[in-house]
Protein backbone atom coordinates (compact mmCIF):
# COMPACT_ATOMS: atom_id res chain seq x y z
CA UNK A 1 0.00 0.00 0.00
CA UNK A 2 1.41 3.36 -1.01
CA UNK A 3 0.93 6.47 1.07
CA UNK A 4 0.05 9.97 0.02
CA UNK A 5 2.19 12.95 0.92
CA UNK A 6 -0.02 13.37 3.98
CA UNK A 7 0.66 9.82 5.14
CA UNK A 8 -2.82 8.47 4.32
CA UNK A 9 -3.07 5.37 2.11
CA UNK A 10 -3.65 5.69 -1.62
CA UNK A 11 -6.12 3.41 -3.38
CA UNK A 12 -5.78 2.46 -7.03
CA UNK A 13 -8.08 1.08 -9.71
CA UNK A 14 -6.94 0.07 -13.18
CA UNK A 15 -9.30 0.96 -16.02
CA UNK A 16 -9.03 -0.44 -19.55
CA UNK A 17 -11.36 0.57 -22.35
CA UNK A 18 -13.33 -1.79 -24.60
CA UNK A 19 -13.98 -0.52 -28.13
CA UNK A 20 -16.46 -1.27 -30.89
CA UNK A 21 -15.54 -1.68 -34.57
CA UNK A 22 -15.90 2.07 -35.13
CA UNK A 23 -13.24 2.82 -32.53
CA UNK A 24 -15.65 4.19 -29.95
CA UNK A 25 -15.32 3.30 -26.26
CA UNK A 26 -18.39 1.33 -25.20
CA UNK A 27 -17.25 -0.04 -21.83
CA UNK A 28 -14.47 -0.11 -19.29
CA UNK A 29 -13.02 -3.06 -17.40
CA UNK A 30 -12.04 -2.18 -13.83
CA UNK A 31 -8.95 -3.98 -12.58
CA UNK A 32 -7.26 -4.43 -9.21
CA UNK A 33 -3.99 -2.56 -8.79
CA UNK A 34 -1.88 -2.35 -5.65
CA UNK A 35 0.26 0.57 -6.80
CA UNK A 36 -0.03 3.56 -9.11
CA UNK A 37 2.76 2.24 -11.35
CA UNK A 38 1.49 -1.36 -11.48
CA UNK A 39 0.98 -2.65 -15.02
CA UNK A 40 -0.97 -5.73 -14.01
CA UNK A 41 -2.82 -7.19 -11.04
CA UNK A 42 -0.72 -8.81 -8.34
CA UNK A 43 -3.61 -11.19 -7.64
CA UNK A 44 -7.09 -12.07 -8.84
CA UNK A 45 -9.01 -13.07 -5.74
CA UNK A 46 -12.13 -12.37 -3.75
CA UNK A 47 -10.14 -9.81 -1.78
CA UNK A 48 -9.03 -8.05 -4.97
CA UNK A 49 -12.59 -8.07 -6.34
CA UNK A 50 -13.93 -6.64 -3.07
CA UNK A 51 -11.43 -3.81 -3.16
CA UNK A 52 -12.34 -2.94 -6.74
CA UNK A 53 -16.08 -2.95 -5.92
CA UNK A 54 -15.71 -0.80 -2.83
CA UNK A 55 -13.33 1.62 -4.56
CA UNK A 56 -15.46 1.90 -7.70
CA UNK A 57 -18.82 2.45 -6.01
CA UNK A 58 -17.77 4.45 -2.96
CA UNK A 59 -14.27 5.95 -2.98
CA UNK A 60 -14.18 7.06 -6.61
CA UNK A 61 -17.83 6.84 -7.65
CA UNK A 62 -18.88 4.85 -10.69
CA UNK A 63 -19.81 7.97 -12.65
CA UNK A 64 -16.27 9.28 -12.26
CA UNK A 65 -14.71 6.03 -13.50
CA UNK A 66 -16.95 4.97 -16.39
CA UNK A 67 -19.60 7.63 -16.90
CA UNK A 68 -22.65 6.04 -18.52
CA UNK A 69 -20.73 3.22 -20.19
CA UNK A 70 -20.85 -0.43 -19.17
CA UNK A 71 -18.52 -1.45 -16.36
CA UNK A 72 -16.86 -4.91 -16.39
CA UNK A 73 -15.78 -6.21 -12.96
CA UNK A 74 -13.94 -9.51 -12.46
CA UNK A 75 -15.92 -11.88 -10.25
CA UNK A 76 -14.64 -14.93 -8.40
CA UNK A 77 -16.43 -18.06 -7.22
CA UNK A 78 -17.22 -16.62 -3.78
CA UNK A 79 -19.47 -13.98 -5.32
CA UNK A 80 -21.11 -16.37 -7.77
CA UNK A 81 -22.22 -18.91 -5.16
CA UNK A 82 -23.36 -16.32 -2.63
CA UNK A 83 -20.55 -16.62 -0.08
CA UNK A 84 -19.84 -12.91 -0.59
CA UNK A 85 -22.52 -10.36 -1.47
CA UNK A 86 -22.89 -8.29 -4.62
CA UNK A 87 -24.40 -5.17 -3.02
CA UNK A 88 -25.19 -3.12 -6.13
CA UNK A 89 -28.02 -3.27 -8.62
CA UNK A 90 -27.42 -4.63 -12.17
CA UNK A 91 -27.83 -1.44 -14.22
CA UNK A 92 -24.56 -0.83 -16.11
CA UNK A 93 -22.36 -3.43 -14.41
CA UNK A 94 -21.16 -6.58 -16.20
CA UNK A 95 -20.00 -9.48 -14.01
CA UNK A 96 -16.92 -10.95 -15.69
CA UNK A 97 -16.37 -14.56 -14.60
CA UNK A 98 -12.63 -15.21 -14.57
CA UNK A 99 -11.29 -18.30 -16.28
CA UNK A 100 -9.97 -19.90 -13.07
CA UNK A 101 -13.48 -20.40 -11.66
CA UNK A 102 -14.30 -24.12 -11.45
CA UNK A 103 -17.75 -24.33 -13.02
CA UNK A 104 -19.85 -26.85 -11.09
CA UNK A 105 -23.55 -27.09 -10.24
CA UNK A 106 -23.28 -24.49 -7.47
CA UNK A 107 -21.68 -21.94 -9.82
CA UNK A 108 -24.24 -22.58 -12.57
CA UNK A 109 -27.09 -22.18 -10.08
CA UNK A 110 -25.54 -18.98 -8.71
CA UNK A 111 -25.09 -17.49 -12.18
CA UNK A 112 -28.68 -18.39 -13.06
CA UNK A 113 -29.84 -16.49 -9.97
CA UNK A 114 -27.72 -13.47 -10.87
CA UNK A 115 -29.08 -13.43 -14.42
CA UNK A 116 -32.57 -13.70 -12.96
CA UNK A 117 -31.82 -10.60 -10.89
CA UNK A 118 -30.93 -8.77 -14.09
CA UNK A 119 -27.14 -9.01 -14.08
CA UNK A 120 -25.19 -9.23 -17.33
CA UNK A 121 -22.57 -11.98 -17.54
CA UNK A 122 -19.25 -12.10 -19.40
CA UNK A 123 -16.89 -15.08 -19.66
CA UNK A 124 -13.23 -14.09 -19.44
CA UNK A 125 -10.48 -15.89 -21.41
CA UNK A 126 -13.01 -18.40 -22.70
CA UNK A 127 -11.82 -21.77 -23.94
CA UNK A 128 -14.07 -24.76 -24.72
CA UNK A 129 -14.58 -26.95 -21.67
CA UNK A 130 -16.43 -26.68 -18.38
CA UNK A 131 -17.30 -23.02 -19.02
CA UNK A 132 -19.53 -24.19 -21.91
CA UNK A 133 -22.26 -24.65 -19.29
CA UNK A 134 -22.34 -20.88 -18.85
CA UNK A 135 -22.60 -19.96 -22.54
CA UNK A 136 -26.44 -19.93 -22.54
CA UNK A 137 -26.31 -17.42 -19.64
CA UNK A 138 -23.60 -15.14 -21.05
CA UNK A 139 -24.01 -11.88 -22.94
CA UNK A 140 -20.29 -11.43 -23.62
CA UNK A 141 -17.49 -13.91 -24.34
CA UNK A 142 -13.90 -12.67 -24.21
CA UNK A 143 -11.26 -14.57 -26.20
CA UNK A 144 -7.50 -14.24 -25.70
CA UNK A 145 -6.19 -13.90 -29.25
CA UNK A 146 -2.57 -14.41 -28.12
CA UNK A 147 -3.13 -17.82 -26.50
CA UNK A 148 -1.56 -20.34 -28.91
CA UNK A 149 -3.70 -23.13 -27.47
CA UNK A 150 -6.94 -21.37 -28.40
CA UNK A 151 -8.72 -21.99 -31.71
CA UNK A 152 -9.90 -18.42 -32.04
CA UNK A 153 -11.65 -18.89 -35.39
CA UNK A 154 -13.38 -22.04 -34.12
CA UNK A 155 -14.73 -20.27 -31.03
CA UNK A 156 -16.07 -17.42 -33.14
CA UNK A 157 -17.77 -19.81 -35.55
CA UNK A 158 -19.36 -21.87 -32.79
CA UNK A 159 -20.69 -18.85 -30.89
CA UNK A 160 -22.09 -17.29 -34.06
CA UNK A 161 -23.88 -20.54 -34.95
CA UNK A 162 -25.06 -21.76 -31.54
CA UNK A 163 -25.28 -18.53 -29.52
CA UNK A 164 -25.92 -15.70 -32.00
CA UNK A 165 -26.91 -13.29 -29.22
CA UNK A 166 -23.45 -13.35 -27.63
CA UNK A 167 -21.15 -10.36 -28.13
CA UNK A 168 -17.60 -11.56 -28.83
CA UNK A 169 -14.74 -9.53 -27.37
CA UNK A 170 -11.19 -9.97 -28.71
CA UNK A 171 -8.77 -9.28 -25.87
CA UNK A 172 -4.98 -8.92 -25.58
CA UNK A 173 -4.73 -7.32 -28.98
CA UNK A 174 -1.12 -6.17 -29.31
CA UNK A 175 -0.72 -5.22 -32.97
CA UNK A 176 -2.67 -3.64 -35.80
CA UNK A 177 -2.46 -6.94 -37.65
CA UNK A 178 -4.15 -8.78 -34.78
CA UNK A 179 -6.85 -6.10 -34.62
CA UNK A 180 -7.61 -6.37 -38.34
CA UNK A 181 -7.76 -10.16 -38.12
CA UNK A 182 -10.17 -9.96 -35.16
CA UNK A 183 -12.43 -7.67 -37.17
CA UNK A 184 -12.31 -10.07 -40.15
CA UNK A 185 -13.17 -13.05 -37.93
CA UNK A 186 -16.33 -11.30 -36.79
CA UNK A 187 -15.56 -10.06 -33.27
CA UNK A 188 -17.92 -7.35 -32.09
CA UNK A 189 -15.74 -5.62 -29.47
CA UNK A 190 -12.01 -5.17 -28.95
CA UNK A 191 -9.59 -4.71 -26.05
CA UNK A 192 -5.81 -4.61 -25.85
CA UNK A 193 -2.67 -2.50 -25.75
CA UNK A 194 -2.88 -1.65 -29.45
CA UNK A 195 -6.04 0.30 -28.61
CA UNK A 196 -5.20 1.50 -25.11
CA UNK A 197 -3.29 0.29 -22.08
CA UNK A 198 -4.92 0.13 -18.64
CA UNK A 199 -4.88 3.52 -16.97
CA UNK A 200 -4.44 3.52 -13.20
CA UNK A 201 -6.43 6.13 -11.28
CA UNK A 202 -5.52 6.85 -7.67
CA UNK A 203 -6.92 8.80 -4.76
CA UNK A 204 -6.48 9.03 -1.02
CA UNK A 205 -8.25 6.20 0.78
CA UNK A 206 -9.31 6.41 4.40
CA UNK A 207 -9.24 3.26 6.53
CA UNK A 208 -10.76 3.50 10.01
CA UNK A 209 -10.33 0.98 12.79
CA UNK A 210 -11.38 -2.53 11.88
CA UNK A 211 -12.78 -2.91 15.37
CA UNK A 212 -15.58 -0.41 14.76
CA UNK A 213 -16.46 -2.20 11.52
CA UNK A 214 -16.58 -5.54 13.32
CA UNK A 215 -18.86 -4.06 15.98
CA UNK A 216 -21.10 -2.68 13.25
CA UNK A 217 -21.14 -6.00 11.40
CA UNK A 218 -22.13 -7.69 14.64
CA UNK A 219 -24.94 -5.21 15.25
CA UNK A 220 -26.23 -5.75 11.71
CA UNK A 221 -26.06 -9.52 12.09
CA UNK A 222 -28.14 -9.60 15.26
CA UNK A 223 -31.46 -11.42 15.12
CA UNK A 224 -33.26 -8.26 16.25
CA UNK A 225 -31.30 -5.39 14.71
CA UNK A 226 -31.26 -2.22 16.80
CA UNK A 227 -31.60 0.46 14.13
CA UNK A 228 -30.56 3.26 16.49
CA UNK A 229 -27.40 1.37 17.42
CA UNK A 230 -26.56 0.81 13.76
CA UNK A 231 -26.99 4.51 12.96
CA UNK A 232 -24.83 5.42 15.96
CA UNK A 233 -22.03 3.06 14.91
CA UNK A 234 -22.08 4.36 11.34
CA UNK A 235 -22.01 7.97 12.51
CA UNK A 236 -18.95 7.17 14.65
CA UNK A 237 -17.03 6.04 11.56
CA UNK A 238 -16.21 9.00 9.28
CA UNK A 239 -15.15 6.93 6.28
CA UNK A 240 -18.12 4.59 6.47
CA UNK A 241 -20.41 7.61 6.68
CA UNK A 242 -18.84 9.02 3.53
CA UNK A 243 -19.01 5.69 1.69
CA UNK A 244 -22.62 5.04 2.55
CA UNK A 245 -23.62 8.53 1.46
CA UNK A 246 -21.69 7.92 -1.75
CA UNK A 247 -23.45 4.58 -2.22
CA UNK A 248 -26.79 6.29 -1.68
CA UNK A 249 -25.93 8.72 -4.45
CA UNK A 250 -24.65 6.04 -6.84
CA UNK A 251 -26.75 5.49 -9.93
CA UNK A 252 -26.56 1.80 -9.09
CA UNK A 253 -28.48 2.33 -5.87
CA UNK A 254 -31.65 3.20 -7.75
CA UNK A 255 -32.45 5.99 -5.27
CA UNK A 256 -33.28 9.58 -6.15
CA UNK A 257 -33.83 11.14 -2.72
CA UNK A 258 -31.36 13.59 -1.22
CA UNK A 259 -30.30 13.07 2.38
CA UNK A 260 -28.75 15.24 5.07
CA UNK A 261 -27.82 12.67 7.71
CA UNK A 262 -26.64 9.13 8.32
CA UNK A 263 -30.07 8.18 9.62
CA UNK A 264 -31.80 9.20 6.40
CA UNK A 265 -29.19 7.36 4.31
CA UNK A 266 -29.66 4.22 6.43
CA UNK A 267 -33.43 4.40 6.03
CA UNK A 268 -33.18 4.81 2.26
CA UNK A 269 -30.54 2.15 1.68
CA UNK A 270 -32.07 -0.33 4.11
CA UNK A 271 -30.32 -2.62 6.58
CA UNK A 272 -29.73 -5.51 4.10
CA UNK A 273 -27.80 -3.23 1.73
CA UNK A 274 -25.83 -1.64 4.57
CA UNK A 275 -24.97 -5.13 5.82
CA UNK A 276 -23.63 -6.06 2.38
CA UNK A 277 -21.47 -2.95 2.09
CA UNK A 278 -20.00 -3.41 5.56
CA UNK A 279 -19.14 -7.04 4.76
CA UNK A 280 -17.23 -5.98 1.66
CA UNK A 281 -15.53 -3.11 3.43
CA UNK A 282 -14.35 -5.42 6.20
CA UNK A 283 -12.49 -7.70 3.79
CA UNK A 284 -11.23 -4.83 1.65
CA UNK A 285 -9.40 -2.94 4.41
CA UNK A 286 -5.80 -2.41 3.42
CA UNK A 287 -4.30 -0.84 6.50
CA UNK A 288 -5.18 0.64 9.85
CA UNK A 289 -6.56 4.17 9.61
CA UNK A 290 -4.62 7.28 10.53
CA UNK A 291 -6.13 7.80 13.96
CA UNK A 292 -5.20 11.40 14.72
CA UNK A 293 -6.97 13.10 11.80
CA UNK A 294 -9.97 10.83 12.34
CA UNK A 295 -10.15 11.89 15.99
CA UNK A 296 -9.98 15.57 15.04
CA UNK A 297 -12.71 15.09 12.42
CA UNK A 298 -15.02 13.27 14.81
CA UNK A 299 -14.52 15.90 17.50
CA UNK A 300 -15.47 18.65 15.06
CA UNK A 301 -18.57 16.72 13.98
CA UNK A 302 -19.72 16.19 17.55
CA UNK A 303 -19.06 19.81 18.44
CA UNK A 304 -21.18 20.93 15.48
CA UNK A 305 -23.94 18.61 16.67
CA UNK A 306 -23.77 19.96 20.24
CA UNK A 307 -23.91 23.59 19.12
CA UNK A 308 -26.71 22.98 16.62
CA UNK A 309 -28.89 21.22 19.17
CA UNK A 310 -28.50 24.10 21.62
CA UNK A 311 -29.71 26.41 18.85
CA UNK A 312 -32.72 24.23 18.05
CA UNK A 313 -31.25 22.97 14.74
CA UNK A 314 -30.93 19.40 13.46
CA UNK A 315 -28.11 17.72 15.36
CA UNK A 316 -27.82 14.92 12.78
CA UNK A 317 -27.42 17.36 9.87
CA UNK A 318 -24.87 19.42 11.81
CA UNK A 319 -22.90 16.28 12.66
CA UNK A 320 -22.77 15.41 8.94
CA UNK A 321 -21.61 18.92 8.05
CA UNK A 322 -18.75 18.78 10.57
CA UNK A 323 -17.83 15.23 9.58
CA UNK A 324 -17.71 15.88 5.84
CA UNK A 325 -15.77 19.12 6.23
CA UNK A 326 -13.09 17.14 8.07
CA UNK A 327 -13.08 14.40 5.44
CA UNK A 328 -12.63 17.00 2.70
CA UNK A 329 -9.47 18.15 4.47
CA UNK A 330 -8.24 14.58 4.90
CA UNK A 331 -8.57 13.71 1.22
CA UNK A 332 -7.29 17.07 -0.02
CA UNK A 333 -10.55 18.17 -1.65
CA UNK A 334 -12.44 21.39 -1.24
CA UNK A 335 -15.83 21.00 0.47
CA UNK A 336 -17.43 22.33 -2.72
CA UNK A 337 -15.93 19.48 -4.75
CA UNK A 338 -16.86 16.93 -2.11
CA UNK A 339 -20.54 17.87 -1.95
CA UNK A 340 -20.90 17.29 -5.69
CA UNK A 341 -20.21 13.59 -5.08
CA UNK A 342 -22.75 13.11 -2.29
CA UNK A 343 -26.57 13.01 -2.10
CA UNK A 344 -26.87 15.87 0.36
CA UNK A 345 -29.82 18.14 0.99
CA UNK A 346 -29.61 21.68 -0.34
CA UNK A 347 -29.15 23.07 3.16
CA UNK A 348 -26.27 20.70 3.96
CA UNK A 349 -24.59 21.25 0.59
CA UNK A 350 -24.77 25.02 0.96
CA UNK A 351 -23.34 24.87 4.48
CA UNK A 352 -20.36 22.83 3.29
CA UNK A 353 -19.70 24.50 -0.03
CA UNK A 354 -20.31 28.12 0.86
CA UNK A 355 -20.71 28.28 4.63
CA UNK A 356 -24.26 29.40 3.97
CA UNK A 357 -27.24 29.22 6.30
CA UNK A 358 -27.36 28.45 10.00
CA UNK A 359 -25.54 25.12 9.55
CA UNK A 360 -22.78 26.90 7.67
CA UNK A 361 -22.51 29.42 10.49
CA UNK A 362 -22.26 26.59 13.04
CA UNK A 363 -19.44 24.97 11.05
CA UNK A 364 -17.59 28.27 10.72
CA UNK A 365 -17.68 29.12 14.41
CA UNK A 366 -16.68 25.58 15.43
CA UNK A 367 -13.66 25.70 13.11
CA UNK A 368 -12.72 29.09 14.53
CA UNK A 369 -13.04 27.69 18.04
CA UNK A 370 -10.69 24.83 17.11
CA UNK A 371 -8.13 27.49 16.22
CA UNK A 372 -8.56 29.41 19.45
CA UNK A 373 -10.94 32.08 18.17
CA UNK A 374 -13.98 32.22 20.47
CA UNK A 375 -15.65 35.41 19.23
CA UNK A 376 -17.94 33.80 16.65
CA UNK A 377 -19.19 31.08 18.96
CA UNK A 378 -19.72 33.61 21.73
CA UNK A 379 -22.28 35.30 19.49
CA UNK A 380 -24.31 32.06 19.42
CA UNK A 381 -23.79 30.61 22.90
CA UNK A 382 -22.77 31.93 26.26
CA UNK A 383 -19.09 31.22 27.15
CA UNK A 384 -19.87 28.43 29.61
CA UNK A 385 -22.09 26.62 27.11
CA UNK A 386 -19.45 26.97 24.39
CA UNK A 387 -16.69 25.49 26.55
CA UNK A 388 -18.99 22.68 27.72
CA UNK A 389 -19.92 21.82 24.13
CA UNK A 390 -16.27 21.46 23.18
CA UNK A 391 -15.31 19.45 26.24
CA UNK A 392 -18.26 17.05 25.87
CA UNK A 393 -17.33 16.58 22.20
CA UNK A 394 -13.81 15.63 23.26
CA UNK A 395 -15.12 13.24 25.91
CA UNK A 396 -17.48 11.58 23.42
CA UNK A 397 -14.67 11.16 20.90
CA UNK A 398 -12.35 9.67 23.52
CA UNK A 399 -15.03 7.17 24.46
CA UNK A 400 -15.87 6.30 20.86
CA UNK A 401 -12.25 5.62 19.94
CA UNK A 402 -11.17 4.18 23.27
CA UNK A 403 -11.39 0.60 22.06
CA UNK A 404 -9.17 1.36 19.07
CA UNK A 405 -6.01 1.64 21.17
CA UNK A 406 -3.85 4.50 22.40
CA UNK A 407 -3.82 7.63 20.29
CA UNK A 408 -1.39 10.53 20.57
CA UNK A 409 -4.19 12.96 21.27
CA UNK A 410 -1.98 15.73 22.58
CA UNK A 411 -1.19 16.79 19.02
CA UNK A 412 -4.71 16.19 17.81
CA UNK A 413 -6.92 18.16 20.14
CA UNK A 414 -6.40 21.91 19.95
CA UNK A 415 -6.50 23.87 23.15
CA UNK A 416 -10.06 25.11 23.68
CA UNK A 417 -10.47 28.81 23.13
CA UNK A 418 -10.08 30.74 26.32
CA UNK A 419 -13.19 32.10 27.96
CA UNK A 420 -13.52 34.96 30.38
Amino acid sequence: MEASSGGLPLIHVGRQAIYDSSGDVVAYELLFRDAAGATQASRRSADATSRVIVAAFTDFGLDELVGTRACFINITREFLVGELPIPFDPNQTVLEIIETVDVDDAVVAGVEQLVGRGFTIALDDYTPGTHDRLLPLATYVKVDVLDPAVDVAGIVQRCREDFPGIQLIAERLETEEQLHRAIELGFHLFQGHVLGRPHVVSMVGLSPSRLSRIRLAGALAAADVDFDEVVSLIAADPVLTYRLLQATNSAASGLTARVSSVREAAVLLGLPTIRQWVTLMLISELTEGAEEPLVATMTRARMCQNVAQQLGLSGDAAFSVGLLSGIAELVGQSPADLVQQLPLSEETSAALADGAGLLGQVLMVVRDYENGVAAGLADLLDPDAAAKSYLTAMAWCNEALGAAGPVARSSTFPTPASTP
Side-chain angles (χ1 to χ4, degrees):
M1 167 63 65
E2 294 176 292
S4 68
S5 58
L8 294 174
L10 287 172
I11 54 174
H12 315 278
V13 171
R15 186 185 68 173
Q16 187 171 26
I18 298 174
Y19 299 81
D20 64 14
S21 57
S22 299
D24 294 327
V25 176
V26 296
Y28 287 101
E29 179 179 0
L30 300 185
L31 308 159
F32 171 77
R33 293 292 185 265
D34 55 9
T39 57
Q40 59 184 9
S42 58
R43 57 188 178 277
R44 299 175 78 188
S45 62
D47 172 67
T49 294
S50 298
R51 296 185 189 186
V52 168
I53 291 174
V54 170
F57 283 87
T58 64
D59 291 305
F60 290 95
L62 203 60
D63 286 345
E64 295 295 321
L65 288 173
V66 303
T68 60
R69 297 176 177 90
C71 167
F72 284 63
I73 294 179
N74 291 334
I75 294 293
T76 59
R77 178 185 178 87
E78 292 87 347
F79 292 90
L80 298 173
V81 300
E83 293 177 5
L84 289 174
I86 298 176
F88 47 83
D89 293 335
N91 290 347
Q92 67 193 100
T93 307
V94 178
L95 305 182
E96 186 172 329
I97 301 174
I98 62 177
E99 71 279 5
T100 55
V101 170
D102 183 17
V103 179
D104 53 20
D105 291 344
V107 167
V108 173
V111 174
E112 287 175 343
Q113 284 190 336
L114 290 170
V115 171
R117 288 170 55 188
F119 283 100
T120 301
I121 302 298
L123 304 183
D124 188 28
D125 286 347
Y126 169 77
T127 57
T130 59
H131 283 65
D132 288 356
R133 299 180 63 185
L134 298 178
L135 284 174
L137 301 170
T139 299
Y140 299 96
V141 167
K142 300 180 75 172
V143 182
D144 183 351
V145 299
L146 291 186
D147 189 340
V150 173
D151 178 8
V152 176
I155 291 174
V156 172
Q157 182 178 354
R158 183 195 173 190
C159 287
R160 292 178 70 177
E161 292 177 354
D162 297 343
F163 303 96
I166 282 179
Q167 295 277 301
L168 291 164
I169 303 176
E171 61 178 345
R172 290 190 66 200
L173 295 167
E174 301 284 349
T175 66
E176 291 286 345
E177 181 181 358
Q178 293 165 356
L179 174 59
H180 291 314
R181 181 171 181 267
I183 294 174
E184 292 172 355
L185 285 174
F187 279 93
H188 305 92
L189 303 173
F190 311 88
Q191 183 180 25
H193 291 178
V194 68
L195 295 167
R197 294 178 178 272
H199 172 64
V200 178
V201 290
S202 306
M203 70 175 294
V204 172
L206 303 175
S207 178
S209 170
R210 289 187 180 91
L211 180 59
S212 64
R213 293 276 171 80
I214 293 171
R215 289 173 59 203
L216 177 56
L220 287 167
D224 186 13
V225 177
D226 185 336
F227 187 79
D228 289 336
E229 180 188 7
V230 168
V231 170
S232 175
L233 288 170
I234 293 172
D237 184 333
V239 178
L240 187 53
T241 295
Y242 174 76
R243 285 175 167 171
L244 287 177
L245 286 172
Q246 187 78 298
T248 306
N249 197 38
S250 169
S253 72
L255 300 174
T256 58
R258 312 291 289 181
V259 301
S260 62
S261 69
V262 171
R263 178 175 295 276
E264 291 178 13
V267 170
L268 287 172
L269 283 178
L271 290 177
T273 299
I274 291 176
R275 183 182 295 112
Q276 292 174 346
W277 278 115
V278 170
T279 300
L280 279 182
M281 290 174 190
L282 275 171
I283 66 171
S284 69
E285 286 300 307
L286 307 181
T287 183
E288 289 295 330
E291 294 284 357
E292 291 192 9
L294 291 177
V295 169
T297 297
M298 290 175 64
T299 302
R300 176 186 297 177
R302 185 67 168 190
M303 177 69 167
C304 286
Q305 182 182 40
N306 290 345
V307 173
Q309 287 175 339
Q310 292 183 64
L311 297 175
L313 303 175
S314 168
D316 285 346
F319 187 97
S320 296
V321 167
L323 191 67
L324 294 172
S325 71
I327 289 175
E329 294 175 7
L330 291 176
V331 301
Q333 285 188 327
S334 70
D337 289 338
L338 188 69
V339 298
Q340 294 179 4
Q341 306 171 39
L342 299 174
L344 302 173
S345 66
E346 183 177 346
E347 181 186 22
T348 304
S349 296
L352 280 165
D354 306 313
L358 290 175
L359 287 179
Q361 186 179 5
V362 168
L363 175 61
M364 180 180 66
V365 298
V366 167
R367 293 185 64 180
D368 285 345
Y369 198 79
E370 292 172 349
N371 296 318
V373 179
L377 191 56
D379 291 337
L380 299 179
L381 304 176
D382 67 71
D384 288 341
K388 184 177 180 180
S389 292
Y390 191 86
L391 292 173
T392 56
M394 291 174 60
W396 172 84
C397 191
N398 278 321
E399 181 180 354
L401 293 182
V407 178
R409 290 177 172 82
S410 59
S411 61
T412 298
F413 291 114
T415 303
S418 59
T419 57

